[in-house]
Every structure is written in structure tokens, then in C-alpha cells.
Amino acid sequence: MGARPVQHESLRERIQDRLRDFASGTPARFAVLVFATLIAIFTVLFSLPIATTSGERAPFVDALFTAVSVICVTGLSTVDMATYWSPIGHVFVFIGVEIGGIGVLTVASILGLIISRKLGLRQKLMAAGDANPLRIRKGPVSESQAVRLGETGNLLLTVALSVVVIEFFVALLLFPRMLLEGVPPLEAAWESIYLAAMAFTNTGFLPTSTGLEPYGSDWWFLGALMIGVVFGAIGFPVIYVLRKYLLRPRKWSLHVKLTLVTFFLLTLGGAVAYFLLEWDNPDTMAGMGIDQRILQSLFISQMARSGGFATLDMGDLDGSSLLVTDMLMFIGGGSASTAGGIKVGTLAILFLAAFAEAKGVDDMEAYRRRIPPDVLRLAVSVVLGGATVVAASTITLLLITDDVPLDYILFDVISAFATCGLTTGFTASTSDAAQYVLAATMFLGRLGTVTLAAALAASTRRQLFRHPEERPIVG
């Protein structure tokens, strides 16, 4: 009789050990499993009658698509988010985007830190793998990282604090402007908190059917949203370094420099492109003054990087502007951020490799630092993986839809892959089959490139021999 509880306890411990080994040993697979589980849970939640304003059960495709969009912090929807979902439904949305925006592995590590009040090696490795796929490699790893393994606990603290502080600060900026618009105080408080969360998580859902229309020309309101989007998109490692810099000035890491410089150049370049391309477009900026053209150009350029908010109808943009938006969405934001895309760091690495080749040097260098070749291989793999997902989804949608322009389909596909949320209207009006394809694209876009990078990093091994060299023709 006394031996059975011991056996039962031993079995439970073995199961817990296996789960911990799986989570820390293969964080990428663990992330996919947990994300899929969360999507299933939120699909059930959105299928509940209390989640809709009508009190009726939502169709499966709408519940599933919303769950994927929420957990993957995309912002695309098949229904009018403001009017279709009840207050309970919007609470589900709010909770889902907070979990999805921070990252599943990071959330798990933060919860473990709160419960146990300490961070073990397993949790450090899991959280570090969520922030940087290069951590998930077999064998020793160089400590020349943006965030060192010993700093993982402080990084998790920065994640938790930044979510609370930044969202609260953005909500404080939005709240008085809503009061001036005549919104009742309680509604203004909820809507400001809701919008702040959607901005920081780079989701872009709106709590009201009027959307941003009352504030579409307001520098203060749109500026507050851009602040939230920027802090969410630059990445938690960058926020962590900036926080340390404010406490005690020190040199920035290469990752921070590349992220901030590339991020700024893309935002500025996108704004200039929209300013010029939409100057004479009667459906967008033709009747605006210079100040409004500048505001709208900056806002679109920033939102195209994964923010998802829109003051103009994307379907009214010129074809050249749609192409610019496609490129900005595909690039996305910073690594380990709430934004999607291939990430600005990936783009920076590709350009540095091209510059090194043009100069005829073997090493990629930036800010007096040498970048190892394995980083370039991962960058190329991420870009090719993303391009493959976009191409496959676009071709599939072209085959199952009729009378929809290619640029509209491509726009929404890239928006889904990059978890941006901007749309030409195709997503909401297309068939159920096409919406399933877009839901899969969102899932792959949120996890696919990171998982690919992590898998490649984990599979790195030392080869004890080298084959003879031969150079194929390139270009």
C-alpha cells in the first residue's frame, strides 16, 4: 500500500521532467505546440454565444480566423471586430493579443519567475531562445550576443515592465483626447487601454465601428499610436539595452545599432515614398495640406511595418504605393518584438553582405564589429522561407478565387504573413476556403521564420572533412 503513492509520484515527476526537457531542448517546437494549443482554446472561446453581440454561436471559420489573428497579433479579420464581438469577446481579444505579442516562451518564463521567484537554467535557455534563435544551437555559444544568457532574468523583467509602462503611457495620451471628442469617461478609459494594447502589440484592432475616423487628422492621437507601435516593433532586447543606457550610459550593442538605424531609415524612406506617390491621388492625399500629407505619410509608413492601423482605405492607394507597402510589411519590425516580417536585422545583414562583396572583402563588418558567416546563412534562410510562404499562399488564393486583382491578393497575403493587419478588403469578402489559407499564412508568418531559424541554428554541427571546392556561376 505504501509503495503505490511513491510510484505515482515518480511517474508524475518523470512526466514533468520530460515536459521540461522538451520545452528547454526544443523551444521552437514547444512554441509551435503552445501557439497551436492557444489558438484551439481561443477558437472555443470565440465560439461561445456570450462572445458575440447577437448571442449566437460564431461560425467556425470566423472563430478560428479571429483566434489565429489574435494569438499571432495580426489584426486581419473576417468580421467587423467592433460590432460583431460582445464586451466579453473583446476581453478575449485583449488577453489574446497580450499573450501573443509578448511571446509564448517569454510568458511561460515570466510565470515561472513569478511562481518560483527564481529563474533556472532551463527557463533562461527557453526565454533566450525566444529572444534569439542563435541561442538554440548545440554546443558552446559565443557570449557576444545582444543580451547575454546571464541577463535573461533582467530581460524578462524589462518585458513585463515595458508592457505595463508603455501601454499605460500611451493610454494616458489617448484618454484626454477621447474626452475632448465627447466619449464618456468609462468608455474613454476602456478604449484608450484597448487601443494602447493594440498599438504596442502591433495588432491594430479597433474597439468602435467609427475606428480612427474621428481622429484621422489629429497629430496628438495618431502620434500616440505611433509611439506605441514603435516601442512594440523595435524589440524587447533593444528596449532592455535602452533601459540600461538610461540608468547608466554605456556602449550600445551591434544589434541595437543595426535595428535602430535600419528601422529609422525604412520609416523615413517609406514616408517619403508615400508623400510623393500619393500626392495627386484624389482618393487619398490630393486634397490635403502639407502638414496632413506629412502626418498621413508617416502614419502609413509606420503602420505598414506591422502596426495595422489605417486612416486611409488601402484599396484606394496607387499601385506603386501598394508595392511599397508590400515591401515594408514583408520586412516588418525588430527581432524579438511584437512585430512580424523577416525583421529589420535580417535586411541589415543582407545589405552588409552585399557591401562586403562589393568591396571585395571576406568579412561582414559594421561599427567595428565582425559578423560571422552563420548569421548570414540564417538571414538568407529566413528570407527564402518567408518568400516561399508568400508565394505559395498567393498562388493558392489565385487558384481558388476569381476576379480579384493580383496586387490585392498579394497585399493581404503579405499582411497576413507579416502579421501586419492592413487589408485592401479582400480578407473579409473572400470565401471560407481562402480565409483558411490566410489563417495558415498568419500562423506560418508568426512562427515559421523563427522556427526555421531556430531549427537551422540547432542543427549546426562541426564537419570533420571538407569536399573539394568548385565555384558555380552566380548572376
Side-chain angles (χ1 to χ4, degrees):
M1 293 294 292
R4 290 181 181 178
V6 175
Q7 292 177 354
H8 178 73
E9 183 70 18
S10 177
L11 177 62
R12 186 179 68 180
E13 290 178 353
R14 287 200 299 268
I15 294 175
Q16 291 176 342
D17 288 340
R18 287 183 179 274
L19 288 175
R20 284 194 294 265
D21 290 340
F22 178 75
S24 60
T26 55
R29 297 176 190 173
F30 179 69
V32 173
L33 175 63
V34 177
F35 258 84
T37 302
L38 282 172
I39 288 172
I41 292 173
F42 275 83
T43 300
V44 173
L45 292 177
F46 286 121
S47 298
L48 298 175
I50 60 172
T52 63
T53 54
S54 64
E56 299 177 355
R57 188 180 300 273
F60 178 75
V61 63
D62 294 329
L64 174 64
F65 194 96
T66 303
V68 175
S69 187
V70 165
I71 297 299
C72 296
V73 289
T74 304
L76 290 175
S77 61
T78 57
V79 297
D80 186 341
M81 294 292 293
T83 60
Y84 190 83
W85 303 111
S86 67
I88 296 296
H90 281 291
V91 171
F92 294 156
V93 172
F94 183 88
I95 296 174
V97 298
E98 295 285 24
I99 295 174
I102 294 174
V104 170
L105 301 184
T106 302
V107 170
S109 300
I110 291 175
L111 290 176
L113 179 60
I114 293 174
I115 294 172
S116 63
R117 297 188 178 183
K118 65 180 181 178
L119 201 63
L121 180 60
R122 293 174 186 268
Q123 291 171 311
K124 287 183 179 180
L125 290 171
M126 189 166 63
D130 199 21
N132 183 4
L134 287 172
R135 280 285 181 197
I136 316 172
R137 73 162 62 248
K138 297 177 181 178
V141 177
S142 171
E143 274 298 298
S144 57
Q145 306 282 341
V147 179
R148 298 174 183 270
L149 187 61
E151 299 175 317
T152 304
N154 290 330
L155 174 60
L156 292 177
L157 178 62
T158 299
V159 172
L161 288 177
S162 60
V163 171
V164 175
V165 173
I166 296 174
E167 290 185 7
F168 180 73
F169 175 73
V170 174
L172 282 181
L173 294 177
L174 298 175
F175 180 70
R177 180 62 184 85
M178 290 184 174
L179 293 179
L180 293 176
E181 192 64 25
V183 180
L186 289 179
E187 290 183 23
W190 161 246
E191 291 177 12
S192 61
I193 294 173
Y194 188 95
L195 282 171
M198 297 305 146
F200 183 74
T201 59
N202 279 224
T203 308
F205 287 135
L206 296 169
T208 61
S209 58
T210 56
L212 298 180
E213 185 177 348
Y215 318 99
S217 59
D218 189 279
W219 275 89
W220 180 274
F221 195 91
L222 299 185
L225 291 181
M226 284 191 281
I227 290 173
V229 169
V230 167
F231 275 101
I234 60 175
F236 293 113
V238 175
I239 296 176
Y240 170 66
V241 172
L242 294 178
R243 172 175 166 264
K244 289 199 304 181
Y245 182 82
L246 291 176
L247 296 175
R248 191 178 69 182
R250 64 188 71 190
K251 289 183 178 180
W252 290 356
S253 65
L254 178 60
H255 170 75
V256 174
K257 293 176 182 178
L258 288 179
T259 298
L260 293 180
V261 170
T262 310
F263 198 96
F264 172 78
L265 291 177
L266 287 172
T267 301
L268 180 61
V272 172
Y274 289 121
F275 186 85
L276 297 176
L277 296 175
E278 294 299 313
W279 180 275
D280 293 327
N281 189 340
D283 296 325
T284 55
M285 300 186 190
M288 297 181 182
I290 296 296
D291 62 327
Q292 280 301 308
R293 292 173 191 258
I294 295 175
L295 173 61
Q296 299 302 326
S297 298
L298 283 172
F299 191 76
I300 300 174
S301 180
Q302 190 54 64
M303 294 306 115
R305 306 291 304 293
S306 192
F309 293 107
T311 53
L312 302 175
D313 189 339
M314 294 294 104
D316 292 335
L317 293 180
D318 184 78
S320 56
S321 297
L322 287 176
L323 182 58
V324 170
T325 311
D326 289 341
M327 292 188 291
L328 292 176
M329 289 191 300
F330 187 74
I331 297 168
S335 300
S337 70
T338 61
I342 62 170
K343 303 299 190 297
V344 296
T346 304
L347 180 69
I349 294 300
L350 295 179
F351 271 100
L352 289 174
F355 292 153
E357 186 65 27
K359 292 188 295 184
V361 298
D362 293 333
D363 295 329
M364 292 184 296
E365 296 179 346
Y367 299 102
R368 298 184 179 181
R369 291 292 185 270
R370 180 176 57 85
I371 302 172
D374 61 330
V375 178
L376 174 61
R377 291 197 297 269
L378 283 174
V380 172
S381 301
V382 167
V383 173
L384 289 179
T388 301
V389 171
V390 169
S393 299
T394 302
I395 293 172
T396 303
L397 290 175
L398 286 172
L399 291 174
I400 63 177
T401 57
D402 299 319
D403 302 325
V404 181
L406 170 61
D407 51 354
Y408 280 24
I409 293 178
L410 180 62
F411 186 97
D412 279 36
V413 166
I414 295 179
S415 180
F417 165 78
T419 66
C420 178
L422 295 177
T423 179
T424 58
F426 168 73
T427 298
S429 61
T430 191
S431 63
D432 289 357
Q435 289 170 352
Y436 285 126
V437 173
L438 289 171
T441 305
M442 288 189 288
F443 184 79
L444 292 174
R446 184 61 178 170
L447 291 176
T449 55
V450 175
T451 303
L452 174 63
L456 290 172
S459 63
T460 300
R461 58 187 175 87
R462 183 178 296 277
Q463 190 166 296
L464 301 180
F465 64 91
R466 302 178 72 181
H467 291 290
E469 182 180 279
E470 184 172 343
R471 293 179 178 272
I473 299 174
V474 176

